Amino acid sequence: MHRQRVIGGLILLGAILIAAALILLRSEPEEKAPVEQIPLVQAEPVEIRSGNLLISGAGTVRAREELTLAAEVAGKLVYVNPALREGQLIARGETLFRIDTADYRNAVQTAQADVAAQGVSVLQAREEVALAKAELARFQQRGASAGNAYASVDSSDYAAQILPPDVLVQKAQAGRQVAEQSISSNGLATREPQLKSAQAGLRRAEAQLANARTALKRTVVTAPFSGVVKTEQIALGSFVQPGQSLGSIVGTADYEAVIPLSEKEAALIPQLFRAGAGNRIEASVYSNYGGTRYRWSAYVDRVNRLLNPQTRTIDIFLRIPNPMRGGSPAAKQNGSGTTATAASAPPLFVGSFVDAEITGRAMKEYGVLPLAALKAGNKIWLVRDNRIHIVAVEILQRTDKTALISTSGLGDKPVVITGNLKIATEGLRVRIAKPSLDKTASQSGPSPAPAKPKTPAKATAAK
């Protein structure tokens, strides 16, 4: 028992000595410098431009002129233009529809007969006036002579019916001047009121003739301007009433787009409230069709002097001339790499949603920043010498994709971080990621497919 204890103690002591020797003889571990973790970020240069600002906005296209078709006279439709259908083009001066003219032609003939009859009445009244004036002048000459010049006047004479002989004698005794005043003051003696009545009847007949001719002209309705038929409720043979709506036409000479801008954005357009009065402010509108972006020239027509009560914005009305000619291609087709031709350009559609660019004030330089690079508090993260510098910028205008900023404090050739970094501190070291090959290839256009190797004829036969 004692011997076993001694052997066990020796074994334990030997193990301790071996462990101590291993610890004393071990080699020191190799020291390595800690690896610094530098974030990899996506960044791109800030686009610096000069010249006039382009104030961006969006709105809806609407017709500048819209006409409601209606009949001015009642009657049966005897002709309807075949092109008077929804969506069809109508040229200026083209006949839209005609109403039966039989009743209106008869009304013109009746009015012409009335005018002729009233003309005869006027001629007769004029002759009677001339005869009455001549006879009264003869009686006045008798009254001016000495003695009783009216004693031989026949009681059946025309003048005696107006002024009896005994009255004429009294007038002669009272003096020539009193007699002349009495005769001249009686208007019926010259039959001039009868002439005026006949002339009034002639004018009334002529007015009725003019109305009849106007009603006859109104049986034919023509297009006052070139346009597109928006709606139509008309059929050949139907009876129409004055004022009855038969459809509507949208004028195609000019369209307009309503672009709401904030007060800050509107202030970037010089002389905005003088637009149209010899001050032409150029603009452009853009619309997408079939994957291609098209552009139409426009200009500021007018500005609403009242704020929009819902959005608290200022409505800018852009006038778009010749919208039916088609816009000019402004971008490449998606995935094709080829530019669309002007011949394939569509017309601008009423009701379409468009983007607009309005010429603003001229600036020496300004920056165009991707909206993803803008951080809270209008700050951006610039990269200089592989370190982050946090800079506050002045926002001139902000859109859904970009922001126009002042170049103050950006430095020379600024590069801004656009993503892949959530938190940044001043002076933090970063690495800028290179553009991916897929992105580069998509920007340069699709690459041609590799040619397939030709299969030998023998191998094909073996298969």
Side-chain angles (χ1 to χ4, degrees):
M1 177 65 71
H2 180 69
R3 183 179 177 183
Q4 292 178 351
R5 290 181 180 178
V6 172
I7 294 172
L10 292 175
I11 294 173
L12 179 61
L13 180 60
I16 293 174
L17 293 175
I18 294 171
L22 292 176
I23 293 174
L24 294 175
L25 297 176
R26 69 177 180 177
S27 60
E28 294 293 334
E30 182 180 359
E31 295 183 359
K32 295 183 179 180
V35 179
E36 184 178 3
Q37 299 295 331
I38 302 178
L40 184 66
V41 298
Q42 295 177 354
E44 61 182 64
V46 178
E47 182 181 358
I48 304 299
R49 298 179 182 175
S50 61
N52 294 91
L53 290 172
L54 293 178
I55 309 304
S56 301
T60 305
V61 177
R62 69 183 189 184
R64 194 169 184 270
E65 291 180 327
E66 184 172 345
L67 173 68
T68 300
L69 297 178
E72 295 185 88
V73 293
K76 180 180 178 181
L77 293 176
V78 295
Y79 171 78
V80 176
N81 194 322
L84 191 59
R85 294 293 179 265
E86 186 174 346
Q88 291 287 86
L89 289 173
I90 295 293
R92 179 180 180 182
E94 189 173 354
T95 300
L96 300 178
F97 59 86
R98 286 198 301 264
I99 298 174
D100 188 10
T101 60
D103 294 339
Y104 299 99
R105 288 198 305 267
N106 295 335
V108 170
Q109 294 178 359
T110 302
Q112 289 175 341
D114 291 340
V115 170
Q118 291 296 330
V120 173
S121 299
V122 170
L123 291 176
Q124 183 179 355
R126 286 176 179 172
E127 292 297 329
E128 291 178 354
V129 168
L131 292 174
K133 287 184 177 181
E135 193 169 357
L136 289 177
R138 182 167 56 86
F139 287 163
Q140 287 180 352
Q141 291 177 359
R142 290 181 182 180
S145 61
N148 187 4
Y150 301 105
S152 61
V153 174
D154 189 358
S155 59
S156 62
D157 212 350
Y158 171 74
Q161 295 178 8
I162 299 175
L163 294 176
D166 54 348
V167 177
L168 294 175
V169 173
Q170 295 176 3
K171 295 296 181 180
Q173 294 175 355
R176 189 172 107 190
Q177 183 178 3
V178 177
E180 292 177 354
Q181 293 177 355
S182 177
I183 294 174
S184 62
S185 62
N186 192 343
L188 293 176
T190 59
R191 299 188 64 83
E192 290 182 354
Q194 289 84 343
L195 175 60
K196 292 181 179 179
S197 177
Q199 291 174 340
L202 177 60
R203 290 193 298 269
R204 181 175 60 253
E206 291 174 345
Q208 292 175 350
L209 176 59
N211 289 337
R213 287 174 174 171
T214 301
L216 180 60
K217 291 180 180 179
R218 288 174 177 173
T219 59
V220 179
V221 178
T222 58
F225 50 74
S226 299
V228 178
V229 179
K230 183 178 181 181
T231 59
E232 51 88 14
Q233 304 92 27
I234 190 171
L236 183 65
S238 59
F239 190 88
V240 296
Q241 294 289 347
Q244 178 182 350
S245 177
L246 302 177
S248 60
I249 297 178
V250 172
T252 56
D254 299 279
Y255 287 166
E256 67 180 16
V258 185
I259 309 298
L261 296 179
S262 65
E263 296 182 13
K264 184 177 181 180
E265 293 171 339
L268 298 175
I269 305 175
Q271 299 183 346
L272 176 61
F273 294 95
R274 296 182 181 178
N279 179 33
R280 189 181 177 97
I281 302 176
E282 299 293 338
S284 299
V285 294
Y286 299 88
S287 179
N288 295 326
Y289 180 80
T292 304
R293 187 174 177 85
Y294 292 92
R295 173 188 175 275
W296 284 264
S297 298
Y299 61 91
V300 178
D301 183 54
R302 63 192 186 277
V303 182
N304 196 339
R305 264 66 176 181
L306 302 176
L307 285 177
N308 190 309
Q310 283 78 28
T311 60
R312 309 300 297 173
T313 55
I314 300 174
D315 290 334
I316 311 297
F317 297 88
L318 298 184
R319 187 169 180 175
I320 310 168
N322 302 319
M324 302 299 292
R325 292 184 179 178
S328 57
K332 293 184 178 181
Q333 293 181 351
N334 294 337
S336 65
T338 59
T339 304
T341 61
S344 63
L348 186 61
F349 299 105
V350 172
S352 59
F353 189 79
V354 294
D355 297 324
E357 290 182 349
I358 305 173
T359 303
R361 70 186 184 194
M363 297 189 66
K364 186 176 180 180
E365 62 177 13
Y366 62 94
V368 181
L369 192 71
L371 198 61
L374 191 62
K375 309 302 179 183
N378 294 337
K379 295 180 179 180
I380 61 175
W381 298 341
L382 296 179
V383 179
R384 298 173 186 167
D385 299 329
N386 293 330
R387 293 187 180 275
I388 289 180
H389 296 274
I390 302 176
V391 178
V393 294
E394 178 187 0
I395 304 297
L396 301 177
Q397 188 194 27
R398 182 184 305 185
T399 64
D400 295 336
K401 297 180 180 180
T402 61
L404 304 183
I405 62 174
S406 172
T407 57
S408 177
L410 297 184
D412 187 26
K413 298 180 179 180
V415 177
V416 63
I417 296 176
T418 58
N420 199 26
L421 187 64
K422 296 182 178 180
I423 300 175
T425 57
E426 182 68 25
L428 177 66
R429 292 189 61 185
V430 293
R431 295 176 297 147
I432 298 178
K434 295 181 180 180
S436 62
L437 295 178
D438 295 339
K439 184 177 179 180
T440 305
S442 63
Q443 292 177 353
S444 60
S447 58
K452 296 182 179 180
K454 295 183 179 180
T455 306
K458 293 182 178 180
T460 305
K463 291 183 179 180

